Structure formats: structure tokens, C-alpha cells
Amino acid sequence: MTEKRVLIEPIDPRKSKPGGVDTCIRGLIKYRPDDMVLSVVGVDAVGDAEIGVWRTDEIDGRSVRFLPVYRADNTVIRPKIPHIAQLVWGVWKYRRQISADVLQTHRVTTGFAVRRFFRKARHVQFIHNDGDDSIKLGNESYFKKFTGAFRFLEKRAVQECADVVIFNSAAAERLGQWGQNVRFSPTWFDDEYFFPAEGDPHTARTDLLWVGRFEETKDPLLAVRAIAEAGPQYTLTMLGGGSLLQKTKDLAAELGLSERIDVKGPVEKRSVSDHLRARSALLMTSQHEGFPRAVVESLACGLPVVTTAGGEPNGLVVEGRNGTRIAERTPESVADAIRRVDGVASEGAISSVENLRATILVPYVLGRQVQSTEQQR
């Protein structure tokens, strides 16, 4: 029996944007089971779609129906009117045009709202980060001063949804206390694009790559200071965009590192794999992550990962096997971990993510037989 599933998130499937949520959804579209019709309700980020009218587009060789319910630049993290508010209003406005067996959301705020609009549908909630970390360590959450409200939304998601998929082991354990419908999933990689370079040309792992948003949570400034501390043989290429992009360039120049640190800014998602294969290790300096896609993709390309505890919180990166772990959030400690990664072989990196291919995990996260909330009770 064909399942009609509608995914609601402020993305435009025709235009990729930086971030794990966007990449996750593209993987779901590309590798969904053949007996599932997956449609997207989101934002017109291109500026040429008719709002409130379904259209059909081809994404990575798969046909997907798309209903834009508002128009905006969804790469702006904090617009005057939050994307969630615009999305929810648009869904309400065009709700009569949305029909599905299952409704899937990727933020607890969106999920709480749309479950009110479509009570007869079965609901699936994806959660990409540990809410505790986002509130305590991040600087982008609207709930930093309203932790009680966020707890309420998390608990209601577990109570009201047929299935809750969480990409963070600590969050899955915490939310699992409220229901048996909570399950953890690792992040996957698309092996059509992320695979090792031929052979292993690296005699020393001195050319590093950093991938992420240039925001305080990702701490690009720590990466720059660590390269200064590590020694003159180390270079760093930095990919991404954000409010700290120029400040990162300025710091590199101030420390005399402009020739060793190349801050490229935003690049197309598919070109990230080429950058990975041209480097020898990934540097991850985030204060917190869910299950970071950059780490999984780097390992799949044969690059060991140098990471902070928050940068890879699920225990995937094991010291000496597929990377090194940073003891403290100081330039000296990061530099020490960078030097240690020289002794890590590519084979350990590749083998550690062998079971994290999209072809394996996407059917897992979409393949569970979803029962209604009423049946669960």
C-alpha cells in the first residue's frame, strides 16, 4: 500500500542551503522507499514559484511534489518574522490543499502547531539536536529564556506523535522516558558523492578542513587560534557562511595566518566532497552538535576527525582509531589533538561509517510501520 507522507519544513527542495536538516531532507527524498509518495510543504527561496499551488520538481533523480506557502530567503537565520511563524501561518492558510496519511516535521515548534491543524493524520517528529545543549550552549535558540516552554513542546511531541526519530543519543535517552515511540538514528552519508580519494596520498595530515556555519556555536575563531598554535606546517581551509565570517578572516590576518588559512565562505554542498578528498583531516570545533553530518561525510572520504566533545557527542570518533578528541576548549589542546591525528590511518575512518550509508539508514528512519496515537494508547 502506497503511503502519502507530507514533510513540513522551511526548505525549498529546488535550492539547497547549508545545514544538516536540509541535507537530511534531501536524503529522505532521494532514498525514500518506492512505495512512499513524499511531498514537501515549505518556502519559495528562489522567488519564482506560485505560492499556495502544488508543483512537481525532480530532485536528485526523484520526483517530488512541492507546495510553497510563503516566500523568503531561508538562509537568513533570524529574519524579522521567524521562518517557523511564516511557515505555520502558510500551512494554516493553505491547509485545505494538504492531505496525507503521515505528516512529518523537523522542529518541535512546527510539529506542535501543525498537529493542531491535521488531527486525523498520523504524525512523525524528527529532532536533530539535543535541546538541552541548544539552550545552554547555543546562541541561536529562541528558547534560551523559556526553557519550560521548550520542555513542554518536547514532551508533547513524544505524547502526540506515532514516531519520534532523534539524531542525538543523549536526547533520545532523555526523551525516551516519556514514551516507547522514541528512537535514535545516526546521521548518514550519500556514497554517490562522499567516498575516498584513490589511494592514500597523505604522508602527513597537515592540511585540514573546517566545515560549518560561521557562528559562535561552531567556534571558527578557536579553529584559527589552534592553527596558530599547532605550527607552521599546518594549513586550514574553512567552508561556510555566517555572521563571524569576516571576523574569522580578520583574526587570521591579525595572527599572520592569511597564507595558511583559506576562508572560502559558502560553497555548493556537492563540492564539499571534492574539498574533503583534497584534504587530509577534518577539524570540528563546535560547542554542541546533534549527530554532525560533516563528521560522517569526512570519515566516509577517509579523513580522520579532530573534534571537541560537543562537536561529536555520540562516541563515533574514537581516539586513535578514526580521529582524535580534544581535551579542553583551548587553542593549545586543539593544537595537541591536531598533531596527534598524524598517526591515524584512513582505513579506520572509512570502516567506522560503513553502516551509515544513506541506502541503509533512510529506509530505517522512514520504514517503521507508523501507528496512530490512538492505537498506541
Side-chain angles (χ1 to χ4, degrees):
M1 182 178 177
T2 299
E3 176 189 292
K4 292 170 57 181
R5 182 179 293 221
V6 172
L7 191 156
I8 301 176
E9 171 69 14
I11 74 159
D12 186 333
R14 304 166 303 157
K15 182 181 180 181
S16 63
K17 73 169 188 175
V21 176
D22 186 270
T23 307
C24 170
I25 292 173
R26 292 177 185 282
L28 298 177
I29 292 172
K30 182 176 180 179
Y31 293 104
R32 70 184 187 269
D34 291 335
D35 60 352
M36 175 181 291
V37 176
L38 183 60
S39 305
V40 176
V41 175
V43 55
D44 172 22
V46 177
D48 63 351
E50 187 173 353
I51 303 302
V53 176
W54 283 101
R55 54 183 289 149
T56 300
D57 294 283
E58 187 171 295
I59 309 298
D60 276 327
R62 300 297 298 272
S63 177
V64 60
R65 296 178 70 236
F66 173 47
L67 177 67
V69 295
Y70 75 105
R71 181 174 289 120
D73 180 356
N74 62 345
T75 63
V76 178
I77 296 176
R78 285 184 173 272
K80 292 182 179 179
I81 303 176
H83 288 293
I84 299 303
Q86 297 183 74
L87 177 68
V88 169
W89 170 249
V91 170
W92 167 257
K93 185 176 181 179
Y94 298 106
R95 65 192 182 281
R96 290 183 178 85
Q97 295 169 236
I98 302 172
S99 175
D101 302 319
V102 176
L103 281 171
Q104 178 177 317
T105 51
H106 285 249
R107 302 171 198 272
V108 294
T109 45
T110 310
F112 179 80
V114 302
R115 289 196 295 273
R116 268 65 259 160
F117 307 159
F118 306 99
R119 293 185 180 275
K120 292 184 179 180
R122 292 165 290 172
H123 295 274
V124 173
Q125 181 70 60
F126 277 42
I127 297 176
H128 292 263
N129 290 289
D130 187 341
D132 275 358
D133 288 343
S134 297
I135 291 171
K136 295 174 183 176
L137 302 175
N139 64 334
E140 300 167 16
S141 175
Y142 288 102
F143 289 97
K144 288 189 73 67
K145 296 181 180 180
F146 305 99
T147 56
F150 190 79
R151 292 284 180 273
F152 169 81
L153 293 174
E154 285 186 319
K155 189 170 185 178
R156 290 299 293 269
V158 176
Q159 293 173 336
E160 296 176 353
C161 290
D163 193 14
V164 181
V165 179
I166 303 181
F167 296 95
N168 180 279
S169 56
E173 182 176 356
R174 180 169 58 83
L175 270 64
Q177 66 182 310
W178 294 323
Q180 298 299 312
N181 54 335
V182 175
R183 57 192 174 121
F184 165 71
S185 174
T187 290
W188 58 80
F189 69 96
D190 187 340
D191 59 8
E192 180 179 351
Y193 302 111
F194 295 92
F195 51 85
E198 293 186 9
D200 188 354
H202 306 294
T203 55
R205 301 193 182 279
T206 56
D207 51 340
L208 283 74
L209 186 70
W210 185 97
V211 182
R213 287 181 287 108
F214 284 78
E215 302 292 343
E216 184 179 330
T217 300
K218 307 295 184 180
D219 212 348
L221 303 183
L222 176 60
V224 171
R225 294 187 176 100
I227 292 298
E229 185 72 26
Q233 70 271 36
Y234 290 96
T235 63
L236 179 66
T237 301
M238 306 184 76
L239 309 179
S243 62
L244 294 180
L245 181 63
Q246 187 58 51
K247 189 172 183 179
T248 303
K249 292 181 179 180
D250 293 343
L251 178 61
E254 178 185 329
L255 296 177
L257 301 174
S258 295
E259 292 186 359
R260 291 201 284 128
I261 297 183
D262 184 6
V263 183
K264 289 189 176 296
V267 299
E268 285 293 323
K269 176 63 180 178
R270 290 181 181 177
S271 73
V272 173
S273 59
D274 295 327
H275 284 283
L276 285 168
R277 282 188 287 274
R279 305 299 183 278
S280 58
L282 179 81
L283 176 58
M284 175 68 74
T285 53
S286 299
Q287 296 188 43
H288 71 90
E289 294 281 351
F291 203 124
R293 194 166 299 275
V295 167
V296 176
E297 293 171 344
S298 298
L299 294 171
C301 290
L303 273 70
V305 175
V306 180
T307 182
T308 54
E312 198 294 287
N314 301 289
L316 176 62
V317 176
V318 177
E319 177 74 32
R321 179 196 173 198
N322 58 358
T324 56
R325 302 190 70 94
I326 297 164
E328 299 177 353
R329 299 191 59 83
T330 64
E332 294 78 13
S333 183
V334 178
D336 179 61
I338 288 173
R339 298 186 197 103
R340 295 200 311 273
V341 83
D342 268 358
V344 180
S346 294
E347 289 77 8
I350 298 167
S351 64
S352 67
V353 293
E354 185 63 34
N355 293 326
L356 302 187
R357 301 173 186 271
T359 50
I360 297 173
L361 285 179
V362 170
Y364 165 70
V365 299
L366 292 178
R368 169 179 284 189
Q369 185 64 35
V370 179
Q371 296 180 332
S372 68
T373 307
E374 289 75 15
Q375 288 175 313
Q376 284 186 347
R377 292 173 180 171

